[in-house]
Amino acid sequence: MKCHHCDNQSTVHLTQILNGQMHKMDLCEGCAQAKGVTNPENLSISNLMDKVELEVDSNAASMVCESCGTTHQEFKKGGRLGCEACYHVFRPVLDPLLDGMHAGTKHLGKVPAGSESRIQFEQSIHSLKKDLQDAVEKEDYEKAAELRDKLRDLENQTKATA
Amino acid sequence: MFHSILNKESGGKKQPKAIPVTLSTRIRLARNLRQFPFPGRAEVSQKRAVLSKCIDAMSGIKGLNNSISVEVDDLSELDRQILVEQHLISPELSQVEEGSGIVLTQDRACCIMINEEDHLRIQVLRPGLDFSSVWKHADELDSGIESAINYAYDGELGFLTACPTNLGTGMRASVMMHLPGLVMSKNMDKVINAVNQLGIAVRGLFGEGSDANGSIFQISNQQTLGESESAIIERLNSTLESLVKQENFAREKLLQDDRTRLIDKMSRAIGSLKTCHLIQSAEAMDLLSLVRLATDFGMMPEKFRGLADRMFIEVQPGHVQLSAGKAIDPSRRDELRAELLRNHFLRAPLLDLSSH
């Protein structure tokens, strides 16, 4: 039987029962190790880290989050990130970790509707302001007036809902 | 004021009856605010800003209008210990120096930790097994708070948390289970291994590993990303169902194969609880566990199950001191603990073996 992930002969046969349904997966030794299924008890971050390190180039060692100062070494040692920006900075070392740690790598749960729309709103105000500044600098006053009106409408909208 | 909430007997009309095997259900949601470093990386001034922002956001929420908020460093050592023993806050939060807080409802069904590992840890708990109402309650609280606060959230990774193991839903769903059958039949290690393979974690609630005091374990989801909240709960639920079956099977088997020894143990437990004059909390937990087991077998009146659950908490060191009204040294605690148990089990009947 071939491995689910590569063409090697499978030696590890994983059976999971989810919601009463049986799911089977056949893996070769290497992929099983990489997925961390051979010993679920030891599925800890630092264990996974060691594996990941082999795959990530030496740039990882010098990674540091400019926003909060967390270094790759600190993350490796403590397993904790310092701020939301860390998730962008450490993404290359994080992605393979998440793959072994969780059921998937994409969020399928609750969406915080309020936060999302407020953040989008902030971002659109920010980009309108920037466009307005550009238009003024280029002396494109027609466009500037149009952007100014849009911005005013948006800002009035927040006052109305606030 | 805070003291009075902790001291209050949990109860009231709404409290569901204690059931065999499953003691309580809990859901915890980890959330962080945008634009503030996570607590582990934050200055005290930033933690204070987060604390006041969170408390402001919670002040108008329907589910929290009967709650009290307090800063951890304003609490006495004993109050913190009580909160830990009631599983309302983590031992980690009880140790923090400055800038952390707790919002606790009067009925203790909901406790929000502020500036623990994440800015917010929203917790909802309820006796028995009831994920649907606990999730609904936690979800509502979360949405209420979120209407006033911007959460750190990423479309792909979900709710951003200090530890990547909580990423995504930020949800840890758990139940406290009483598994004396699996412990006595020495099957607990096997069960822990099997359940771990399904992405479910098992840990002793008091004490460590498979030798947990009182045979009480916490079973929870390990994975938080890549599945919806309802899928996680469903998966956990199906594991729990099979755990309950395994436990009941182990109990029946013990009663069949080793009947006299098991009855001797349960019977002596009641004797010890009625007559002890010095007892440590670990021993007390194990005796109470046997009382709960005897009740599940129908050998003790139903009310002893609820009593055992209450005593599991009240025999803890902090609670013994709370009822004494002051800090006392361990040997005196053992004496007071024994007195408490003697009083409660004074009129406990002998095992009723008529149906077995």
Side-chain angles (χ1 to χ4, degrees):
Chain A
M1 215 178 298
K2 271 187 184 175
C3 170
H4 187 82
H5 285 281
C6 64
D7 284 340
N8 291 340
Q9 180 69 26
S10 65
T11 52
V12 177
H13 310 285
L14 179 70
T15 307
Q16 274 193 311
I17 297 166
L18 302 180
N19 308 324
Q21 270 194 311
M22 206 192 291
H23 299 265
K24 286 191 173 179
M25 194 186 263
D26 305 295
L27 298 164
C28 71
E29 190 69 32
C31 290
Q33 289 263 335
K35 281 266 175 192
V37 297
T38 45
N39 193 352
E41 284 163 279
N42 290 339
L43 202 66
S44 71
I45 297 179
S46 58
N47 271 354
L48 287 164
M49 275 295 208
D50 291 339
K51 284 174 223 155
V52 169
E53 205 166 23
L54 303 172
E55 297 160 24
V56 177
D57 62 23
S58 56
N59 290 339
S62 59
M63 277 182 184
V64 55
C65 174
E66 284 180 15
S67 182
C68 72
T70 300
T71 64
H72 179 241
Q73 281 301 320
E74 284 172 312
F75 174 47
K76 221 186 107 178
K77 201 163 158 235
R80 304 285 184 280
L81 293 165
C83 69
E84 54 194 302
C86 286
Y87 275 98
H88 298 288
V89 180
F90 297 111
R91 198 61 194 267
V93 285
L94 202 58
D95 273 340
L97 279 182
L98 295 177
D99 199 26
M101 201 183 282
H102 291 291
T105 52
K106 191 160 169 33
H107 178 57
L108 295 176
K110 183 173 177 175
V111 176
S115 293
E116 264 214 329
S117 67
R118 285 190 298 268
I119 292 162
Q120 264 173 17
F121 186 80
E122 273 170 36
Q123 283 164 348
S124 52
I125 295 240
H126 184 78
S127 77
L128 272 176
K129 279 186 176 160
K130 200 170 160 289
D131 290 351
L132 177 59
Q133 206 179 350
D134 286 351
V136 171
E137 272 166 23
K138 285 182 198 148
E139 299 185 5
D140 184 351
Y141 295 115
E142 203 176 321
K143 189 167 182 204
E146 195 186 307
L147 288 167
R148 182 202 59 207
D149 291 344
K150 259 195 192 167
L151 200 55
R152 193 188 291 149
D153 286 349
L154 262 180
E155 280 170 342
N156 283 339
Q157 224 177 297
T158 36
K159 275 178 205 145
T161 52
Chain B
M1 176 74 175
F2 199 69
H3 217 80
S4 72
I5 299 188
L6 295 179
N7 216 346
K8 209 164 49 181
E9 228 175 77
S10 67
K13 281 166 268 162
K14 280 193 285 181
Q15 210 72 345
K17 230 177 78 190
I19 56 167
V21 189
T22 316
L23 275 77
S24 63
T25 307
R26 165 195 306 252
I27 282 183
R28 183 221 72 194
L29 300 173
R31 300 288 188 253
N32 285 285
L33 275 57
R34 265 189 100 216
Q35 285 161 341
F36 286 95
F38 302 147
R41 203 77 201 178
E43 310 277 342
V44 173
S45 62
Q46 290 170 314
K47 285 171 79 173
R48 291 213 168 279
V50 168
L51 183 61
S52 69
K53 249 176 142 40
C54 290
I55 289 183
D56 280 352
M58 285 185 244
S59 64
I61 293 172
K62 206 175 71 193
L64 293 175
N65 47 17
N66 210 358
S67 65
I68 181 163
S69 56
V70 64
E71 283 191 36
V72 176
D73 48 0
D74 287 340
L75 288 172
S76 70
E77 197 70 33
L78 183 57
D79 280 347
R80 297 184 203 190
Q81 194 181 347
I82 299 285
L83 284 162
V84 173
E85 288 175 3
Q86 293 191 8
H87 308 291
L88 291 169
I89 68 170
S90 61
E92 291 74 24
L93 188 74
S94 75
Q95 299 301 321
V96 296
E97 302 280 309
E98 261 182 284
S100 292
I102 299 160
V103 175
L104 177 67
T105 55
Q106 294 279 349
D107 59 3
R108 282 176 291 176
C110 166
C111 184
I112 298 165
M113 300 190 273
I114 305 169
N115 284 327
E116 204 243 23
E117 184 181 288
D118 294 299
H119 292 144
L120 284 168
R121 289 276 173 101
I122 303 165
Q123 309 178 94
V124 175
L125 11 119
R126 205 179 150 79
L129 178 61
D130 188 356
F131 273 119
S132 66
S133 81
V134 171
W135 162 246
K136 189 166 166 268
H137 190 168
D139 185 29
E140 278 169 9
L141 279 178
D142 177 51
S143 298
I145 296 168
E146 195 261 330
S147 68
I149 277 180
N150 285 338
Y151 281 154
Y153 175 84
D154 178 278
E156 205 179 322
L157 297 176
F159 294 96
L160 303 178
T161 51
C163 184
T165 52
N166 294 317
L167 194 62
T169 58
M171 182 179 80
R172 193 79 57 205
S174 64
V175 289
M176 252 197 247
M177 291 186 111
H178 179 227
L179 304 173
L182 291 169
V183 172
M184 280 192 257
S185 61
K186 301 203 171 15
N187 276 313
M188 207 53 217
D189 284 326
K190 233 187 290 170
V191 166
I192 292 177
N193 269 333
V195 167
N196 280 345
Q197 314 239 357
L198 302 172
I200 307 280
V202 181
R203 64 182 187 90
L205 200 59
F206 308 89
E208 280 300 311
S210 55
D211 260 349
N213 294 337
S215 301
I216 298 176
F217 296 86
Q218 180 173 296
I219 325 287
S220 62
N221 63 304
Q222 268 173 334
Q223 297 157 334
T224 54
L225 181 67
E227 278 177 303
S228 68
E229 289 84 356
S230 55
I232 293 172
I233 289 172
E234 215 173 294
R235 192 147 66 87
L236 186 59
N237 248 334
S238 68
T239 308
L240 294 176
E241 271 170 33
S242 85
L243 265 178
V244 172
K245 270 187 209 148
Q246 298 276 346
E247 168 63 19
N248 286 331
F249 178 75
R251 288 180 184 189
E252 286 307 321
K253 199 160 166 16
L254 279 170
L255 200 58
Q256 260 173 28
D257 299 354
D258 216 358
R259 180 188 158 83
T260 312
R261 191 185 303 275
L262 181 60
I263 288 175
D264 177 69
K265 268 189 175 177
M266 294 187 292
S267 194
R268 280 168 184 259
I270 295 160
S272 295
L273 290 165
K274 282 162 95 88
T275 57
C276 61
H277 281 262
L278 275 179
I279 190 166
Q280 296 190 342
S281 57
E283 188 192 350
M285 300 281 297
D286 288 336
L287 298 177
L288 291 165
S289 166
L290 287 163
V291 168
R292 202 182 205 273
L293 180 62
T295 313
D296 294 350
F297 278 133
M299 298 175 185
M300 292 280 282
E302 281 285 305
K303 65 174 183 187
F304 282 92
R305 188 183 294 118
L307 178 63
D309 289 358
R310 231 179 82 206
M311 292 297 115
F312 278 136
I313 304 290
E314 289 188 20
V315 298
Q316 301 302 314
H319 279 77
V320 173
Q321 298 181 71
L322 180 70
S323 58
K326 57 177 185 222
I328 39 180
D329 64 82
S331 64
R332 175 85 182 114
R333 259 182 249 161
D334 293 347
E335 208 177 319
L336 285 172
R337 181 180 295 116
E339 193 184 317
L340 170 83
L341 290 169
R342 271 200 328 271
N343 285 336
H344 278 290
F345 285 91
L346 190 67
R347 281 178 233 291
L350 294 177
L351 290 187
D352 171 10
L353 301 174
S354 58
S355 56
H356 289 271

